[in-house]
């Protein structure tokens, strides 16, 4: 949203500077999708343990995937001004790479507001769960590069991260 001089303004801040939840009740319900990505950087021993299934706590990738799905559904409980939306689908893909694990989450809804926060929360919590699962193998695991990579639907239209 913009004010009269077309300068961008923060929609979650009232004129007096206090936080508010945006009223979306007049917006139409539309199909919406958002994707987010992130990475967990790991040492070679942790990557090897993920690849050969020897993580002491069990199937770290499965636990992280389920944590990411659950997190998308609980986003309004964690992000104070996020609207409760009907989460209709969540996919969380984890790919073991040479320096860690790439995480991509895609969330879909038909609702009045975007679902980017759900995608970001999904990736973030999946990464946290993965770190918890591998911390016995790599105490220096690091979460990095969490970001929205694409969105579609709604008034602002479609957007995709440029490579």
């Amino acid at each position: 949203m913009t004010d009269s001089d077309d300068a961008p303004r923060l929609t979650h801040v009232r004129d007096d500077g206090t936080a508010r939840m945006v009223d979306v009740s007049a917006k139409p319900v539309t199909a919406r999708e958002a994707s987010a990505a992130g990475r967990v950087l790991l040492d070679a021993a942790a990557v090897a343990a993920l690849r050969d299934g020897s993580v002491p706590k069990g199937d770290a990738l499965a636990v992280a995937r389920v944590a990411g799905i659950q997190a998308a559904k609980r986003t309004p409980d964690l992000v104070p001004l996020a609207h409760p939306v009907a989460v209709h689908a969540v996919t969380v893909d984890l790919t073991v790479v040479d320096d860690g694990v790439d995480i991509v989450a895609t969330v879909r809804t038909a609702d009045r507001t975007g679902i980017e926060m759900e995608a970001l929360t999904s990736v973030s919590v999946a990464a946290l769960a993965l770190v918890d699962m591998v911390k016995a193998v790599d105490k220096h695991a690091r979460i990095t590069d969490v970001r929205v990579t694409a969105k579609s639907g709604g008034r602002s239209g479609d957007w995709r991260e440029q490579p």
Side-chain angles (χ1 to χ4, degrees):
M1 299 181 87
T2 60
D3 55 24
S4 60
D5 65 358
D6 288 334
R9 70 180 178 93
L10 300 174
T11 59
H12 285 76
V13 179
R14 294 189 291 207
D15 290 339
D16 67 0
T18 57
R20 73 177 180 112
M21 187 173 196
V22 175
D23 182 356
V24 298
S25 59
K27 293 173 74 175
V29 171
T30 60
R32 298 163 183 266
E33 178 177 298
S35 295
R39 175 173 278 196
V40 178
L41 296 174
L42 299 169
D43 66 19
V47 169
L50 287 168
R51 286 185 170 149
D52 68 19
S54 65
V55 174
K57 285 188 170 184
D59 190 343
L61 300 176
V63 169
R65 183 175 298 106
V66 171
I69 292 167
Q70 182 177 358
K73 298 186 295 182
R74 300 301 301 243
T75 299
D77 296 332
L78 301 169
V79 181
L81 300 179
H83 291 85
V85 296
V87 173
H88 293 125
V90 181
T91 59
V92 179
D93 295 313
L94 296 103
T95 305
V96 179
V97 295
D98 289 342
D99 62 348
V101 177
D102 287 336
I103 304 169
V104 176
T106 300
V107 184
R108 290 179 198 83
T109 189
D111 218 311
R112 290 180 165 84
T113 191
I115 201 145
E116 296 91 343
M117 291 297 101
E118 286 75 6
L120 287 167
T121 301
S122 179
V123 168
S124 298
V125 173
L128 289 168
L130 183 64
V131 169
D132 181 53
M133 293 295 290
V134 301
K135 67 185 177 189
V137 180
D138 184 355
K139 294 180 182 353
H140 303 287
R142 189 172 72 210
I143 298 168
T144 186
D145 297 323
V146 176
R147 70 218 183 266
V148 174
T149 57
K151 69 164 285 299
S152 64
R155 184 176 60 202
S156 63
D158 298 353
W159 175 85
R160 187 159 300 282
E161 179 180 60
Q162 298 302 312

